[in-house]
Amino acid sequence: MLDILLPILIFAALGLAAIGVVRRVRLWRQGRPSPVPLVKGLASVPRRYLVDLHHVVARDKVMSNTHVATAGGFVAAAVLMVLVHGLGLAEGVLGWGLLAASATMFVGSCFVARRRRNPPSRLSRGPWMRLPKSLMAFSLSVFAITLPAVGLLPDNFFEGSVSWVLALALSAALVWGLGEMVFGMAWGGPMKHAFAGALHLAFHRRAERFSTRGGEGKRSTGLKALNLDDEDATLGVEKPSDFTWNQLLGFDACVQCGRCEAMCPAFAAGQPLNPKKLIQDMVVGMAGGSDANYAGSPYPGQPVGEHQGSPQGPIVAREGKALVDAETLWSCTTCRACVEECPMMIEHVDAIVDMRRFLTLEHGNTPNKGSEVLDNLIATDNPGGFAPDARMHWAADLELPLMADRGEAEVLLWLGDGAYDMRNQRTLRSLVKVLRAADVDFAVLGNEERDSGDVARRLGDEATFQSLAKRNIATLSKYRFQRIVTCDPHSFHVLGNEYGELGGPGMPAQYEVSHHSTYIAELFDAGRLHVKPWKGGGVTYHDPCYLGRYNGEYEAPRNVLKALGIELKEMERSGFRSRCCGGGGGAPITDIPGERRIPDMRMGDVGETGAELVAVGCPQCTAMLEGVVDATAEVRDIAELVANALTEAPEASAGAAQQSSNRPQAVEVA
């Protein structure tokens, strides 16, 4: 009986799955074109899955091993099942291999079942709760029906009257398992992520994130530029079909594990954003329908079932129901915590900024102070609307060398728009003191410098960003220098990673861009700085998102603090899992209300360490953390700590002392 029934069931499931695959591909292909290397992409899937993806999955060791057993066992069992029971090739090792694969899958499914007994809040429920039973049904039924094929049971074991009942029961279990694991994978069940996820890895829109033979993947975090010269091009994303087809594919790959939800600062603050639900809403829009069947955590303050959409319908509607509310998009701080944690490497931030671009460029719907800031950038080249020629007023007594006068220097010090902020001016003065103490040949652009454009780009105003960027690029091209140094991670990121696409310093073989913590660490390593030992209280360090997650710089700031003799008290959420301060992505400008403030939560993390001081390396982080009422720790930039600890070299020669006296003298930091 099973000899006849099994091939029918197997090939029927494969046929229905093939129809589902065609249907799913058509949903993705509603998106805009995006050229990809078809054969090379497919060939790269094993390495991307086993190497690049699993280093993220492996952060949870138990679930990583569970995934290896369950997914690996299923892939092997599915292939061998077709060979053994579909084509009748049970001889040799194939049958035994199928037994081993199905047994391994069953062991993994037991751990999945244990996980689902009392799942954490971030995990979606609904159809996902039946997944352990489906995994067990598939693995047990395949294991049992394979026993006669390898001789562990008689060949005619399932031919008696009682055995027929058992055969029918096993067939029913197999149908259940095939329905979930094969049919549902292509038609939209919980296992959909396995099929879509593999293709997402093959055709990822940031293929450079993946490693190659003999090397590692690149940290790819810069936003992709819009072609503003193409009059027919969509300015941003208005509807789901405006995404590229491989972005839609990426949304479909979501496993609904909720790691992004658990790391999102806006969600934790009770703002109307949950990155997991946002991705699921894009899937709803791609296929058409409502979010009524969503089985995970909703947007805070917004019940499930109130949003709906279609491939050609607006994502954000001015009137009536749509996929998401505008406040959801404007709640994002663009910190990339969601992207860093995603085991499927989905690019949430790219999608959010794409949708913001449409709201800003097409409708001018930037909330709260957003429109004012963008108008200021257009009129005065800085977000505060200050007079452009006032950029250097804070440094009137420092006699900073100007590139316009010198033409070249070893280091170009990029001031950023913190030059207009009295608090950040203290940091800049400290940095100048450090550079002069190390005898660094540096100069500044002075009033030639304009805003880097970071705020404009994150608020979706690509036109203003490109205008600022191209004018800055033209200014930079007039001078010669080896590198740019800045104390602003946002400027550091934009100059180094996003200007290159427009012909700027990100281009190879021109010059590098460094954060001031990286450069100061190099000065310490070269023996060019001498400091007094630290005698203060406990210190912790806050990792800026645009320095850490965006650019992978975690060690240099810590090395600087170590050089000062500071033993850090690390926060529980530090490094790549650092909690955002709430200052990125224009969030302080759009100011979407929540149940609590993000910087208050971060200061709570600081308080748990017992540290008396939190070291930072970003003007935005300084402003946000110093704005916390009743903070338990002082906030100081790394440059300030180094400047205050500077001392003379222990054995300065008379010649060196004379040379030092000929340099411009550093002023004491206020």
Side-chain angles (χ1 to χ4, degrees):
M1 172 185 174
L2 288 180
D3 292 342
I4 299 173
L5 187 58
L6 288 178
I8 295 174
L9 292 177
I10 292 170
F11 289 110
L14 292 176
L16 290 173
I19 296 173
V21 166
V22 172
R23 174 180 173 272
R24 213 72 203 169
V25 170
R26 285 179 176 175
L27 290 178
W28 304 331
R29 297 298 291 181
Q30 296 174 108
R32 291 185 292 109
S34 179
V36 295
L38 184 62
V39 176
K40 183 179 179 181
L42 291 173
S44 68
V45 169
R47 181 176 182 84
R48 291 180 178 182
Y49 179 82
L50 296 173
V51 177
D52 301 293
L53 183 64
H54 263 280
H55 87 275
V56 180
V57 178
R59 292 171 185 170
D60 184 337
K61 295 296 184 183
V62 174
M63 287 312 299
S64 173
N65 295 333
T66 298
H67 190 261
V68 169
T70 309
F74 166 69
V75 171
V79 173
L80 291 171
M81 179 183 65
V82 173
L83 296 175
V84 172
H85 297 296
L87 301 178
L89 303 177
E91 295 83 1
V93 299
L94 294 180
W96 290 101
L98 181 53
L99 280 181
S102 56
T104 301
M105 181 182 174
F106 177 77
V107 172
S109 67
C110 291
F111 281 93
V112 175
R114 181 183 177 185
R115 176 79 156 187
R116 285 284 166 178
R117 286 178 59 187
N118 186 24
S121 60
R122 62 178 173 84
L123 290 179
S124 291
R125 289 165 171 75
W128 294 86
M129 298 302 290
R130 71 172 184 251
L131 191 56
K133 303 180 184 68
S134 302
L135 295 169
M136 290 179 176
F138 181 85
S139 56
L140 280 177
S141 59
V142 171
F143 184 88
I145 63 178
T146 306
L147 292 174
V150 297
L152 293 179
L153 289 177
D155 290 340
N156 60 353
F157 180 79
F158 293 110
E159 294 181 5
S161 57
V162 175
S163 298
W164 269 59
V165 175
L166 179 58
L168 288 174
L170 288 174
S171 298
L174 182 62
V175 169
W176 179 6
L178 285 172
E180 188 78 84
M181 307 302 295
V182 181
F183 177 76
M185 187 182 298
W187 283 81
M191 286 298 296
K192 166 174 63 71
H193 73 276
F195 166 61
L199 295 183
H200 172 55
L201 295 180
F203 308 127
H204 200 284
R205 74 190 306 254
R206 291 183 181 269
E208 62 274 12
R209 286 185 65 183
F210 299 99
S211 62
T212 56
R213 293 191 180 277
E216 295 182 357
K218 298 179 181 179
R219 184 170 292 274
S220 175
T221 56
L223 294 173
K224 299 182 182 297
L226 290 181
N227 182 3
L228 299 176
D229 297 326
D230 185 355
E231 296 181 357
D232 297 327
T234 303
L235 295 179
V237 168
E238 176 189 13
K239 49 190 183 295
S241 59
D242 288 335
F243 286 110
T244 63
W245 71 267
N246 49 351
Q247 278 182 294
L248 296 179
L249 166 59
F251 302 152
D252 224 14
C254 177
V255 68
Q256 297 194 43
C257 65
R259 289 191 183 186
C260 58
E261 171 187 313
M263 290 292 111
C264 178
F267 180 79
Q271 295 174 256
L273 170 62
N274 178 346
K276 181 179 76 173
K277 186 176 190 302
L278 179 68
I279 295 302
Q280 292 307 307
D281 284 344
M282 297 305 104
V283 175
V284 168
M286 175 183 69
S290 78
D291 67 339
N293 293 325
Y294 173 70
S297 302
Y299 300 128
Q302 296 184 3
V304 170
E306 294 187 349
H307 297 87
Q308 62 186 28
S310 64
Q312 302 301 324
I315 293 174
V316 178
R318 292 188 174 186
E319 297 180 359
K321 293 183 178 180
L323 279 175
V324 299
D325 296 337
E327 289 76 13
T328 293
L329 304 179
W330 296 117
S331 295
C332 179
T333 67
T334 67
C335 70
R336 284 184 71 86
C338 51
V339 181
E340 184 72 37
E341 287 295 325
C342 180
M344 301 306 291
M345 292 190 167
I346 298 170
E347 296 284 345
H348 311 67
V349 175
D350 283 5
I352 288 172
V353 174
D354 282 341
M355 291 183 278
R356 283 183 177 185
R357 284 169 168 171
F358 176 80
L359 296 179
T360 296
L361 294 173
E362 294 287 357
H363 293 315
N365 289 345
T366 314
N368 295 321
K369 294 184 179 180
S371 297
E372 177 184 342
V373 167
L374 294 175
D375 288 342
N376 287 340
L377 284 167
I378 295 170
T380 66
D381 296 335
N382 66 83
F386 300 105
D389 59 2
R391 184 180 291 271
M392 296 298 296
H393 285 183
W394 63 276
D397 61 329
L398 295 183
E399 299 180 3
L400 297 182
L402 296 176
M403 288 297 297
D405 297 333
R406 298 186 51 185
E408 62 179 305
E410 177 189 347
V411 168
L412 169 62
L413 178 58
W414 185 274
L415 303 177
D417 282 298
Y420 293 105
D421 177 70
M422 292 183 64
R423 174 61 184 89
N424 192 59
Q425 289 166 8
R426 289 161 48 191
T427 299
L428 290 173
R429 294 176 74 89
S430 295
L431 182 54
V432 169
K433 181 178 179 180
V434 172
L435 295 178
R436 283 180 165 162
D439 199 21
V440 174
D441 174 29
F442 75 96
V444 299
L445 291 176
N447 292 336
E448 288 188 287
E449 182 182 312
R450 297 173 177 84
D451 183 85
S452 66
D454 167 75
V455 172
R457 185 164 238 197
R458 270 70 201 170
L459 290 177
D461 192 347
E462 182 74 4
T464 298
F465 164 74
Q466 291 194 20
S467 174
L468 290 166
K470 289 176 180 178
R471 284 185 288 161
N472 278 326
I473 290 168
T475 300
L476 294 171
S477 66
K478 297 190 300 182
Y479 304 116
R480 296 176 59 189
F481 45 88
Q482 295 179 19
R483 73 162 90 183
I484 298 173
V485 173
T486 179
C487 63
D488 178 13
H490 297 261
S491 296
F492 162 53
H493 170 71
V494 170
L495 290 168
N497 298 320
E498 296 186 353
Y499 273 25
E501 195 174 1
L502 303 173
M507 297 176 66
Q510 276 195 299
Y511 40 80
E512 60 181 307
V513 185
S514 298
H515 185 251
H516 73 310
S517 66
T518 304
Y519 191 64
I520 292 173
E522 292 177 10
L523 294 177
F524 270 116
D525 290 341
R528 296 171 66 178
L529 290 174
H530 306 278
V531 294
K532 298 172 290 188
W534 175 257
K535 294 183 179 180
V539 178
T540 189
Y541 172 67
H542 165 74
D543 290 276
C545 303
Y546 275 73
L547 181 61
R549 278 187 289 269
Y550 272 80
N551 288 282
E553 184 58 276
Y554 301 107
E555 295 305 317
R558 289 171 169 81
N559 289 339
V560 171
L561 297 173
K562 182 178 179 181
L564 294 174
I566 295 174
E567 185 175 345
L568 282 179
K569 297 182 176 183
E570 292 283 7
M571 286 179 269
E572 181 178 353
R573 287 188 57 172
S574 62
F576 69 87
R577 281 186 168 150
S578 175
R579 193 198 300 271
C580 177
C581 73
I589 298 168
T590 57
D591 196 24
I592 303 302
E595 298 172 3
R596 58 194 67 85
R597 297 175 69 248
I598 296 173
D600 292 349
M601 293 190 296
R602 189 51 171 166
M603 263 302 184
D605 297 338
V606 172
E608 290 176 359
T609 68
E612 300 170 19
L613 186 147
V614 53
V616 296
C618 172
Q620 293 283 6
C621 296
T622 301
M624 299 303 291
L625 296 180
E626 284 194 338
V628 174
V629 178
D630 298 328
T632 58
E634 182 184 3
V635 181
R636 301 290 293 276
D637 189 272
I638 285 175
E640 295 178 281
L641 296 175
V642 175
N644 289 339
L646 287 173
T647 186
E648 294 292 331
E651 297 180 1
S653 65
Q658 179 64 34
Q659 181 182 9
S660 176
S661 67
N662 293 332
R663 293 199 310 266
Q665 296 301 303
V667 297
E668 290 301 323
V669 179

